[in-house]
Structures are given as structure tokens and as C-alpha cells.
Amino acid sequence: MPKASFIEQTSELIRIMVPEEAMQGRVTLKLSKGDDVVSKTILSFTVPITVTSFTPEARPGANMTVAGTKLTWVEGVVFGRDTVDEFVSQSATELVLQVPMNAKTGPLVFVGGGENPTFIETEEEFVVTLPSVTSFDPASVKHSASVTLKGTNLDLVEEVKFPGGATVSEFANHTATEITLVVPNSAVSGALTLVATGSLAEKATEPELNIILPAITSLTDVKHGENLTITGTNLDMVKEVVFAGGEKASTFVSKSANQLVVKVPDKANAGNLKLVTIHGFEVATSSAFNLVLPAVTNVTSTPVDPGANITITGTNLDLVKSVVFTGDATVSTFVSKSANQLIVTVPNNAKSGVLKLITTKDYEVTTKAEVEIVLPKVTGITPAPVAFGAYLTINGSSLNLVQSVKFVGGATVTNFLAKTETQIILAVPNGAKSGKLMLITNRGLEIETTQEAQVGAGGPNIDYYIYDNALRVNAAGEAEWEKWGGWETPTQDLANTEQPNRGARAIKVVYEGANGGLQFHPKDANVLNGYRTLVLYVRGTKDSQLAVQVKNSAGANQADVTFDVKAGEYKLIEIPISQLGAVSGGITELIIKNYGTTPNTVYIDDIGLRE
């Protein structure tokens, strides 16, 4: 600025009008002698930048123009995430810059310099030109075939995404108006997505590409091992047919574009088929394959007892090679067999329930029809106990099918005092033992009862049982007595079945120590109150001596009360409560001890108290 333009000048002051083109920086004074004086401080401004217009749309990498005022003060232009700070040209009224490759459509932000930097965001959006597809050639294409995408700005495309997740980034031809590529084998029909070069921007095509796949229009109903005819379109692309259940067929009797003929695997299930193409693409079809299988409509006569015949009616029963009853009882020899009827003999181990038909191809068909097997069932055995030679009554259902009754120990009865459908009365034979009965039917089927017959003399004179086949429990099933550890007794079997006195079980104890102990604990310390006698039955394997000892509620062991044991037979032991010691305050333990003989094996049964 020449001196003549100064507004004021003194030895201490120069006042000037700042030119429009002035930029931020240091001020240089030109002296008359030719020297320059540069200011130490930087001159800055608050500059009101304005943007009046800009190129509304451009491709990434192309130039765009911005018009406005004071544009020389623009230090950067923000396109979404990218900022451009180097310009093609810049003046006060025009800014030319290159659109960044990662630009996205949206408002622009201008960053202004000066003492207080400014940020100007445009109201209008700048549109980034994206590639666009107008058509496919061909519009329908197979996997691994070439297709040409036609449109505009296609030279910006970096990759093409297909429905189904496949992506293609290598092109046979790539221009602004065409892209030729190979269709991935996993592609499905639908719109493609174009991904622009160097940009996060994606654009879906408006036209959709149709992938040519095999399709089924009709199926025949056939049996396992027979030929299935599939009609449809593009069936020449099929390399494998997958049946419901996973069975596969990849060898074809014949194959053309409109028809497949394939042998049905022996284990194939009915249901929708799946076609696997030569490119490995799986086509799930809605076409259901119906197998010709045996079907049961009725079963007669039922209820039926084992060994009798039943008649099964239905369709395709000539395909059946065996019938499996509930309980895995199998019949493969038929009284008669035709397409509509099977007559089979019910096996002895058959149980009530559905039938399973096994075809000649080992395919299993479970029927809804059920067979009710009639078997003897016992609901009660009285009296208990019953003496040898006395009459025993067995109550239940279908007992008229019983030919003989076998007791534990092997004693068997075949002659009954009476036998009806609901009751059998018989005399208990010598040699019979307590336990479950075995009923043998007219057809030789053995059925064990859940109830037990108690054989022998009348029951013990016991008012309160401590042990009767098991330690006592209350009505709620809670233990009233417990077996504690004991000592010098390697065997303490409370459910032994070798030598019961009555019922099915007794206690077997093996004493290894001369003073070994079997130890019981009552939950109620006052359990002895009101009773006068402790009762137990003991059988030895050798003549020996045992003892009973209690520990009172104060924790003091009382004196032993000894008794003799007889080898080979049960002996009734009765001990007055008064002999057990100071027990009026209750007891915490009842101990049955060995008394000198080692080793010593004994059986103990029917332990209790009597008033």
C-alpha cells in the first residue's frame, strides 16, 4: 500500500484501511532507504466467509466449484469424515477442489481462518455420484455363468455383493457403462449391492438378478427301492437329491432338463426333497415326497393273551417282514400275509402298546393302533403269614390264565382248590418259602408278583416292630430307627435274603471281633416306655453266644444281657426291659454284640417290643 493511501501518519502512528485481499500474517514496512521492518506480531482478522453456491453433485475424484466471498480464508472443506485442505485453485470468490474418494452425500462444512476460526455448514447436501445399474444381460443366469451389469458410473465400482453373502471384486470387463463378472455359486436371486471404489457408500440395484435353479413341479409316489420320477425345470443342473432324514441319491436312472428318475434309498423318509446343483448350491423345495408304506387301520382281537392270534388290517402290508410288539417281542413268521391283512401269533414276552412294522427294506413304521396284552395280575395275597398246608388266596385279574404257582424255594402248585378270573385258592406246600410268587400261564409265560407270600407259623408276638424286613419308618416314610456304624462287623446286611425267619429279608451280621457290635439308634429316646419285653429271633451258623446292651440318655453303657444262639435254626429271644439297666430316662443306642466266638455269622429277624 503506497504512502499516499495512508489515512494518518506520524512519528508514532500509521493508520490505514486494510485491503480486501489482505491475508493473516506479519506486516512489513518499506522504509525510504529501501530497508524492511517486519512486525513481531501476526495480524489476524475475523473474516465473514460466505458460500453462495457449489457444484450440487460430483463423482469421487472429480473437481467441484464453490462460489462465495472471502473464500481465500477457507482452510479446509469437510466431506463427512474426510477434510480437503489442498485446493485446485482458490480466490476470494471461487474455490475449486477435488472430491475425496471417501466422500459421502451430505452437507459440507467450510473451515475459515482468522483470529477466530469459523465453521460454515451448508443447508443443501452435496450429492456424491454413485454407480447405478439399469439392466442385466442376461436377466436370468445360472451359477458360474457370466452376467453383464449395464448402467452409469460403473467404473466407480470396487466390488459387487450378491444376495446370499457372496462378493465379487474381479471383473472380466469394467467400464463406466458395463461390468462383466461370473455369478458366484452361492448367489441367490435378488437385488445386487454396488460398493463404490474407496468409499463406504453402497447402493442396491433397482432391477433384480434372477438365478436360474432347478424346480420341481410334480413327484410320483413309490416304495423304497423303486424309481421315483421328478418332473420340473432345469433338472439337468441337479447332481444329488437329498431325501427327508438325510438319505441321498446321486446316481440317476435318467436325467434331463425336465425330468429326473432316481432310485429311492431304503432308509429315505417321506417329506420335502432338497436338490443339490452341480455347483453345490442346495435348493430346498416345497414338494413333499410321499412314500408307499404299510399302514394299519385296525387290530383284532384285542385284548389278547400271549400265544393267541391277532389280525392286523390295513394297506401295503405285503411290505412287512416283521412285527415288533412293545417290549421288543418280534414276530417274523406270519400265520398269513397279504397286502391288506396280517395274522400273527402274539409272543409270550409281548407287552401292551403300539406295534412297529419293519418293511422288507428295514424301514420302521410305528402304528397308532395298540394291542392290549392280557396277563395275570395279582392285587393281594392272604392270609399273611400262612401255615404249611393251609389255604392261600391270591386275588387279582386274568388269573384264569394261570396254570401253576411257584413259591420261593421251588415248591410248585398245579392243583388249585379254586380258580376263577379274579381268584386262586391253593394249599401251601411243604418246602414253600416266604417271598414273591411266580405265576406260570397256560402258554408257559412266567410272571413274578409284586406282593409277597409270608409262609410259616403265625407271626411273632410283637406290638412294636423295630425291624420287619427293614428298619421301622413312620407313616410319612421317615426313619424311626437308624443303623449306626458298629464295630468289628465287616458285614451288616439289613436286606439279606439268605435265611429270613419270616418275610423275604433278615439281617446278616458277620462278627470278626470277640466283642463286635451291631449298633441301632432310635429317633425317639423314650421308645421303650410302655413296653415290658424286647423280642428278637436269631439264627446261628454255629452254636455261640450274643448279648444285648443299651446306652441310656445320659450316655452311660448298661450291662450286657447275654443269650445263646443255636446253629441252623431261629431261636426266639425275649429279654425283659427291666434287665436292660437304667433306661427310665430313655436310650440312645441298642447294640447286639458278639460274645466270644470269632468269626461268627448270625441272622437276626423280627426285632421288636411287647407290652
Side-chain angles (χ1 to χ4, degrees), residues 316-461:
N316 300 303
L317 298 179
D318 54 327
L319 299 176
V320 176
K321 76 172 184 179
S322 61
V323 177
V324 181
F325 290 76
T326 299
D328 289 332
T330 301
V331 176
S332 55
T333 301
F334 306 107
V335 178
S336 67
K337 182 171 78 167
S338 69
N340 299 318
Q341 185 184 84
L342 291 177
I343 299 178
V344 299
T345 301
V346 179
N348 285 341
N349 57 336
K351 296 181 180 179
S352 297
V354 298
L355 300 176
K356 187 184 295 181
L357 307 181
I358 311 300
T359 72
T360 54
K361 298 296 184 179
D362 292 325
Y363 190 84
E364 297 182 357
V365 179
T366 300
T367 72
K368 293 182 179 179
E370 294 191 6
V371 174
E372 182 181 350
I373 306 298
V374 178
L375 295 173
K377 183 177 180 181
V378 172
T379 58
I381 300 174
T382 56
V386 61
F388 295 110
Y391 291 121
L392 181 71
T393 299
I394 304 172
N395 295 309
S397 59
S398 301
L399 298 180
N400 56 312
L401 300 177
V402 175
Q403 183 183 59
S404 58
V405 176
K406 183 188 294 185
F407 287 78
V408 173
T412 302
V413 177
T414 56
N415 295 318
F416 306 122
L417 180 66
K419 183 176 73 169
T420 66
E421 185 178 354
T422 60
Q423 190 176 80
I424 292 175
I425 301 175
L426 55 84
V428 177
N430 291 329
K433 294 184 178 180
S434 297
K436 296 178 181 179
L437 302 178
M438 185 69 72
L439 308 182
I440 295 90
T441 70
N442 297 326
R443 301 187 188 279
L445 182 65
E446 294 186 347
I447 300 170
E448 187 178 59
T449 66
T450 56
Q451 296 82 4
E452 296 182 352
Q454 296 183 14
V455 180
N461 185 11

Side-chain angles (χ1 to χ4, degrees), residues 209-225:
L209 182 65
N210 180 50
I211 305 298
I212 298 173
L213 295 171
I216 296 174
T217 56
S218 65
L219 299 167
T220 57
D221 296 341
V222 296
K223 303 173 182 178
H224 286 116

